[in-house]
Amino acid sequence: MILKFLKQISFIAILVCTISYAARSQYSGGQVLDNIIVKVDDFIILKSDLEKAYLEFVSRGQKGGEDVKCGILESLVINKVLVAKAEIDSVIVEDDEVQSNLDQRMQIIVAQIGSEEKLEQYYGKTVEDFKDELFDQIKEQLVADKMQRTITDDITVTPTEVKRFFNKIPSDSLPFLSTEVEVGQIVKIPKPGTFQKDQARKLALELRNRILNGRDISKDYAGWKINIMPGNSLTIIDNTGKEYRGKYEFDERLKQFAVSLNEISFLANEFQGAWNISRGGQDSLRFNNADLSNTSRIYLKKDSGIPRNYLGLDYSVLTGQWSVIGFFATGEDFAALAAKYSNDPGSARSGGVLGFAPRGVMVPEYEAAAMRMSPGEISQPIESEYGFHIIQLIERRGNEFNSRHILIRPDFSSLDFKDAENFLDSLRNLIITDSIPFENAAKEFSDDERTSGNGGFIFDDNGSARVSVETLDPVVFFTIDTMEVGNITRPMRYRMEDGKEAVRILYHKSKYKPHQANLKDDYQKIQLAALNEKKQIALEQWFDNAKGDVFILIDESYKQCQILE
């Protein structure tokens, strides 16, 4: 029973249900009563956890009842035991992996609801609030999954075991399988021409310039004076002689100067903040804003008092009166430009931030550029297979780095698409005339990494090339529904899962009519079922041993489920 419910209760669906349930509770006007029904070491299961999982299960058309609820509770207890034992056995999932998984799940939820704005408006919470609330749940689930894999990953089944498993199923209980098909595809992503690439590079350079070079407002502040005095006080005197008072802190180690002004708002906007200081000459300083998203900078010239042979920076150098000789306002915000212009929708929503990535995750050109940069630095346009990236390094930590980017993809012209279509049309003719097998052509020429390694064939979640028509993408289904088995379509344009526009041909290799499961036609599915049963038995045996290693307390009202017996 354990694996049955672990497989049937989709965690992403529980996640959606959790949000929906929380929202109903929030706006119902009543109080939701809850209590702890299970304790496993330091981990607990609430009554609401069980009710939400049960609600999700039956909402998908599954039959309910007390036995089903007991089965779901058993799977929740097993999860807690897996997590508790993982803690004992030092099975660890890093926070970066959790965050990446959580981001992917939230993207699915947002896509189902329509947009982040709709999600936030309906529930009265930001996406970040949801992520904070769900982080620990996701981490616990990933730890449980990893612990379960340590128990079951090495388990296999022999052909004899598969046959024995099938033969013990009563003939009147054999499942009836719907129509299945084998469908392959060969995909070509058009290559943009020189003109399109030049236009993309030009836009990327323009955005970089907008980030780096703020508006020159030197003339607005010409003649302004800044008096830096002992005791961490300063005054700013405008060109009419009006004086504004403030405070400062100077960090000699970091060479950072922090200004606090509260007398007038526009001064706070222009002058207030933390600044990194550098010598611009023997009697001048350059103040660069220390905020990575703020590129404002001020050039100051000391009216008198700097020893010309003194090269350091300390209080004795800073104190005195300075004149503003140059002032460049804040460049445009990287995050705002990423949200508006970036062709990477996943990161654009978070201001272009990609999070920490170890070596080998990013495309080589991106990684090489980022690993050469200093924190805060903004790159020239970096070309990769996806387009042109403007990169800002946020932080480097050993072999990991955190960065943000703006991606500009070159547009494709009609000629670019025509070239891709002509290539696939020629390849189709070679396949039809038996000059090259479809599988070989897909492995060698297809640009879709998800299917090219499978010889172009679309696999289901269980790794089978025989896919139920009920789970096929509607566009693929309606296309092959009008085709004869063995035929290959002419090149067709479509949009890939990552948003790229591409051209493909579809191959309808075979079709299996609805039928009752049998060993000849459905060996792979029966093999998977036999394997799952063997894993279930192994997990139950593990649970029998593991429950003695942890403290488990189940509320009396659920004793009838006999989980510990």
Side-chain angles (χ1 to χ4, degrees):
M1 180 182 288
I2 294 168
L3 275 181
K4 174 185 177 184
F5 286 102
L6 284 176
K7 294 292 183 184
Q8 287 185 318
I9 303 173
S10 159
F11 193 72
I12 193 67
I14 291 177
L15 196 59
V16 176
C17 185
T18 299
I19 293 175
S20 303
Y21 190 93
R24 287 197 298 273
S25 301
Q26 180 179 351
Y27 296 111
S28 65
Q31 183 178 6
V32 178
L33 298 178
D34 210 349
N35 59 284
I36 297 172
I37 58 175
V38 178
K39 288 183 179 179
V40 179
D41 281 356
D42 295 331
F43 304 96
I44 62 171
I45 299 173
L46 298 173
K47 183 176 182 180
S48 60
D49 296 332
L50 175 60
E51 295 301 328
K52 284 181 284 191
Y54 179 74
L55 173 65
E56 189 275 330
F57 186 80
V58 298
S59 69
R60 292 187 290 116
Q62 302 286 349
K63 185 178 179 181
E66 288 304 312
D67 287 345
V68 171
K69 186 172 287 189
C70 282
I72 293 173
L73 179 59
E74 182 183 27
S75 72
L76 294 175
V77 172
I78 291 293
N79 258 20
K80 298 298 181 184
V81 175
L82 286 166
V83 175
K85 279 288 289 178
E87 197 171 86
I88 295 170
D89 297 345
S90 299
V91 176
I92 299 170
V93 173
E94 298 294 341
D95 285 354
D96 289 347
E97 181 183 346
V98 180
Q99 191 61 54
S100 174
N101 190 284
L102 178 55
D103 289 343
Q104 292 173 12
R105 293 176 187 269
M106 286 306 301
Q107 286 177 19
I108 295 172
I109 295 169
V110 168
Q112 290 175 344
I113 292 175
S115 69
E116 287 187 2
E117 290 74 18
K118 288 182 180 178
L119 178 71
E120 294 173 352
Q121 182 180 7
Y122 186 76
Y123 294 127
K125 296 181 181 180
T126 67
V127 170
E128 292 306 314
D129 288 337
F130 276 124
K131 288 182 178 180
D132 290 342
E133 292 176 9
L134 295 167
F135 186 90
D136 289 341
Q137 296 179 42
I138 299 291
K139 184 167 187 175
E140 189 174 296
Q141 184 65 35
L142 292 178
V143 170
D145 291 344
K146 188 172 183 178
M147 188 66 194
Q148 184 176 329
R149 289 196 298 272
T150 66
I151 301 163
T152 61
D153 268 5
D154 292 334
I155 295 175
T156 59
V157 288
T158 65
T160 300
E161 289 175 313
V162 174
K163 186 174 181 180
R164 188 184 305 127
F165 170 83
F166 179 79
N167 288 336
K168 72 180 183 182
I169 302 173
S171 58
D172 57 356
S173 298
L174 289 171
F176 194 79
L177 304 178
S178 61
T179 301
E180 295 176 323
V181 292
E182 288 183 285
V183 181
Q185 64 179 11
I186 300 176
V187 177
K188 290 305 292 181
I189 301 172
K191 306 241 181 262
T194 302
F195 176 77
Q196 285 76 24
K197 291 177 71 172
D198 287 345
Q199 291 298 105
R201 186 186 288 106
K202 183 178 177 180
L203 176 55
L205 279 169
E206 179 187 327
L207 295 175
R208 180 179 186 270
N209 187 58
R210 287 168 62 176
I211 295 166
L212 285 177
N213 300 314
R215 183 170 54 93
D216 185 353
I217 55 175
S218 302
K219 62 183 180 181
D220 298 334
Y221 293 96
W224 285 54
K225 305 289 185 182
I226 299 177
N227 287 317
I228 301 174
M229 295 168 285
N232 298 99
S233 64
L234 59 79
T235 59
I236 296 177
I237 305 168
D238 68 20
N239 51 22
T240 69
K242 185 170 183 178
E243 185 176 284
Y244 307 95
R245 297 182 182 275
K247 294 287 186 181
Y248 73 90
E249 295 289 338
F250 175 57
D251 188 321
E252 291 194 61
R253 184 177 63 85
L254 296 176
K255 297 297 181 285
Q256 193 167 93
F257 190 82
V259 183
S260 175
L261 287 165
N262 51 24
E263 291 189 359
I264 188 166
S265 60
F266 83 87
L267 278 178
N269 289 337
E270 300 289 15
F271 286 101
Q272 186 165 286
W275 306 79
N276 295 318
I277 312 172
S278 59
R279 291 289 293 271
Q282 290 182 327
D283 57 355
S284 65
L285 294 179
R286 172 173 169 163
F287 280 49
N288 286 310
N289 201 294
D291 181 353
L292 288 180
S293 66
N294 190 328
T295 59
S296 56
R297 56 200 185 278
I298 306 173
Y299 296 91
L300 303 175
K301 183 177 180 65
K302 197 163 192 180
D303 292 349
S304 63
I306 285 189
R308 293 209 168 256
N309 61 350
Y310 191 81
L311 300 179
L313 265 177
D314 60 17
Y315 278 106
S316 66
V317 173
L318 286 175
T319 52
Q321 181 169 284
W322 299 79
S323 295
V324 176
I325 59 174
F327 201 142
F328 291 83
T330 306
E332 292 190 61
D333 182 56
F334 194 113
L337 291 178
K340 184 175 181 179
Y341 290 100
S342 182
N343 296 134
D344 176 12
S347 68
R349 288 192 292 269
S350 59
V353 176
L354 294 169
F356 276 97
R359 284 186 179 274
V361 171
M362 302 295 188
V363 289
E365 301 87 351
Y366 188 105
E367 180 179 285
M371 293 300 285
R372 289 194 302 266
M373 295 167 64
S374 302
E377 185 180 350
I378 296 174
S379 73
Q380 294 286 341
I382 303 298
E383 185 177 4
S384 78
E385 63 182 278
Y386 293 98
F388 293 92
H389 308 261
I390 300 298
I391 305 169
Q392 183 179 47
L393 181 66
I394 299 173
E395 183 183 355
R396 186 162 51 242
R397 197 168 59 193
N399 284 327
E400 293 185 322
F401 64 92
N402 186 10
S403 63
R404 69 176 101 210
H405 79 144
I406 298 173
L407 172 65
I408 304 299
R409 280 182 176 153
D411 291 328
F412 300 113
S413 70
S414 57
L415 289 176
D416 300 327
F417 274 101
K418 190 64 179 174
D419 287 344
E421 289 167 355
N422 289 340
F423 177 85
L424 286 180
D425 206 36
S426 299
L427 193 61
R428 175 178 179 270
N429 289 333
L430 290 174
I431 296 168
I432 291 173
T433 58
D434 294 328
S435 298
I436 183 173
F438 178 90
E439 291 84 346
N440 293 359
K443 288 179 179 179
E444 185 172 354
F445 299 111
S446 181
D447 291 334
D448 181 31
E449 295 180 0
R450 187 175 58 91
T451 58
S452 60
N454 307 330
F457 288 100
I458 299 169
F459 281 12
D460 66 14
D461 292 339
N462 296 319
S464 172
R466 283 177 51 179
V467 181
S468 170
V469 293
E470 298 170 358
T471 63
L472 270 182
D473 176 272
V475 174
V476 175
F477 169 74
F478 287 117
T479 300
I480 66 166
D481 195 46
T482 61
M483 294 171 60
E484 295 290 334
V485 171
N487 283 359
I488 301 174
T489 66
R490 294 282 182 184
M492 304 178 295
R493 296 187 188 185
Y494 85 113
R495 189 174 295 276
M496 301 175 69
E497 288 184 357
D498 63 0
K500 292 179 183 175
E501 290 188 86
V503 183
R504 68 179 171 187
I505 53 176
L506 293 174
Y507 170 39
H508 188 184
K509 180 180 180 181
S510 60
K511 183 175 184 179
Y512 300 85
K513 295 180 180 179
H515 64 281
Q516 199 167 42
N518 61 81
L519 272 175
K520 179 183 176 183
D521 297 324
D522 309 297
Y523 182 85
Q524 190 173 20
K525 288 183 172 59
I526 297 165
Q527 181 188 42
L528 180 62
L531 179 61
N532 282 339
E533 182 187 64
K534 194 172 181 179
K535 287 182 176 181
Q536 174 182 329
I537 293 169
L539 191 59
E540 288 173 346
Q541 290 172 345
W542 173 87
F543 177 63
D544 284 340
N545 295 325
K547 66 187 180 185
D549 297 336
V550 297
F551 171 78
I552 303 175
L553 179 64
I554 299 176
D555 189 90
E556 287 290 333
S557 57
Y558 295 93
K559 289 294 184 183
Q560 78 278 5
C561 293
Q562 299 181 332
I563 292 171
L564 298 180
E565 297 179 16

